[in-house]
Amino acid sequence: MSRVVEQIQAEMVSNVLKIVVTVGDQIGPGDTVVILESMKMEIPVVCESGGVITEIAVHEGEVIQEGDLIAVIDSDQVAEPLVP
Amino acid sequence: MTALAQVPDLESRDPRDPSLRLENLFDPGSLRELNRRDESGVYTARGTIDGAAVVAYCTDATKMGGAMGSEGCRHIVDAIDSAVRQRVPVIAIWHSGGARLAEGVEALDAVGLVFAAMVRASGRVPQISVVLGPAAGGAAYGPALTDLVIMGPAGRVFVTGPDVVRSVTGEDVDMERLGGPDTHGRRSGVVHVTVDSEAGALQAARTATALLAIQGSFDLSAAVRDNEVDLATLMPDSPQRAYDVKPIVAALLDEPPLELHTRWAPNVVTALGRLAGRSVGVIANNPLRLGGCLNSESAEKAARFVRMCDAFGLPLVVLVDVPGYLPGVGQEWDGVVRRGAKLLHAFAEAVVPRVTLVTRKSYGGAYIAMNARSLGATAVFAWPGAEVAVMGAKAAVGILHRKKLAAAALEDRQALHDHLAREHERIAGGVNRALQLGVVDAVVEPADTRRRLVEALAAAPAGRGAHGNIPL
């Protein structure tokens, strides 16, 4: 079986204001991964499935484009299966 | 496949049996056949949901995969027409491979007659589809023409199947990725509600039907509850911080709402629920997604929802916290002007009571689109500290005083910008100017919001739009 990973991507052009997690952190569904700044607002980006952070692809202060990868989460360790 | 514990002779019945599916949809013991189960591939019946009369039809997947021929289509047309005569909702259960090939053009003609019947009924009685298996080809447009589409885990909707796709475009895709719940719930917007079990999908159809068919009336004594949540406590401390609007929607309503299009265009939330005993529709910007900006998809999603609620007489609650329209080449090329115009049209056309609440800010063109006074809002409220303006004060003075700012010494520029912004806010910002003009009726406290919304909606004359519900 392939590993279940969640790739968190940017929804819009934004500035990375703050990275809240570090690689190896265990986070749950709805937890904040990074805080972006766009349209003069601070927008928390939350994880859908929960799991372990395996990669953070951005750094604070960086301007990212729509669709850019922000972080990768290994969701294999979550007990509940993902909702389809 | 299906949790059917309540049916005693489970072993002897095929889970695709349409009479079984309709029994599971209706209140126990309420099913009355409209046509005998035959070889037509369609089974129709009337029954009740929470006591409300409804008509339902179900394609019979045990007969030629539920393919639609002239006889089956005639059953569907008769069922829809009888529902319109009785003014009761129609629920469709789909599990069909499309038109019967052996019947050729006769089957196509019959499927077309079904579509025509659906459009005749559009806006007159609620039409709810539950897709429990493949709904392919002609059958795909059956659900698509109805007001609400609910999909179970085995539901698949596509015009051409994986084999045809592969032979024409070379794309290798399976039925689920082509037209399953994730595809239609997240990408296409074809499906309003995805549910992870067949029983859950039928339950969702019951919930939606009850909200549309048993609308109730506003009970003013229920407008204030003992355990009322102060909505202010659900807001973040910083006015710049985005937040999820869904807990606020849930706290306003009597019970958890039925959210539609949860994952498609999530920057606007559309939900059916009850407020002080009456069914209402709620539209809310969600700052957590795209900062709550309106964009082409969310404007279209909200517009269709507004028109559906108007067609069936559901009052609207509009929660506004919007920084504007999402800027970008992609949006313009995606038709944000054409698709955004649908929302303006939908609100301006709506005759149901519709009350707007600005929680934090409402800027620019999006201010108008979110049921502004100028579009005919029944009432417009704002929370203390809300801003109603063309844009934020800082951005506004950056444009208005561009030369003055550029002429200032670099070390003084920020202070001057702040000073000008405060001045601008005093004259043109905040909510005061909007109050003076009458485009905001009153400032209401978050803790008092539910009562004010209910009173305003209950005081307005009831209305119901005289139009169909084209799937925008």
Side-chain angles (χ1 to χ4, degrees), chain A residues 11-12 35 39-44 48 84, chain B residues 186 240-242 263 288-291 326 361:
Chain A
E11 286 190 334
M12 64 197 297
I35 298 172
M39 298 297 286
K40 300 182 188 66
M41 286 179 62
E42 298 163 12
I43 305 171
E48 264 190 42
Chain B
R186 193 192 288 266
Q240 273 75 46
R241 177 55 70 94
R263 292 194 294 166
L288 191 61
R289 307 301 297 271
L290 294 178
L326 184 67
K361 63 185 174 310

Side-chain angles (χ1 to χ4, degrees), chain A residues 52-84:
Chain A
V52 174
I53 305 279
T54 56
E55 185 188 343
I56 295 170
V58 295
H59 55 264
E60 288 181 8
E62 182 183 355
V63 174
I64 55 175
Q65 304 295 316
E66 180 184 338
D68 282 1
L69 182 68
I70 294 174
V72 180
I73 295 162
D74 184 337
S75 308
D76 257 5
Q77 294 172 38
V78 184
E80 292 295 297
L82 300 182
V83 190

Side-chain angles (χ1 to χ4, degrees), chain B residues 53-64:
Chain B
V54 300
V55 164
Y57 55 90
C58 183
T59 56
D60 186 347
T62 68
K63 313 276 189 218
M64 301 172 68

Side-chain angles (χ1 to χ4, degrees), chain A residues 6-10 27 31 33-34 45-48 53 67-73:
Chain A
E6 178 180 343
Q7 295 201 336
I8 296 187
Q9 293 168 318
I27 59 171
D31 285 354
V33 178
V34 298
V45 176
V46 297
C47 159
E48 264 190 42
I53 305 279
D68 282 1
L69 182 68
I70 294 174
V72 180
I73 295 162

Side-chain angles (χ1 to χ4, degrees), chain B residues 129-131 148-152 181 184-185 190-196 200-201 204-205 208 258-262:
Chain B
S129 293
V130 188
V131 185
L148 293 174
V149 184
I150 296 160
M151 187 180 265
H184 288 309
V190 165
V191 168
H192 293 79
V193 181
T194 58
V195 189
D196 58 11
L258 177 65
E259 191 186 343
L260 309 179
H261 285 137
T262 306

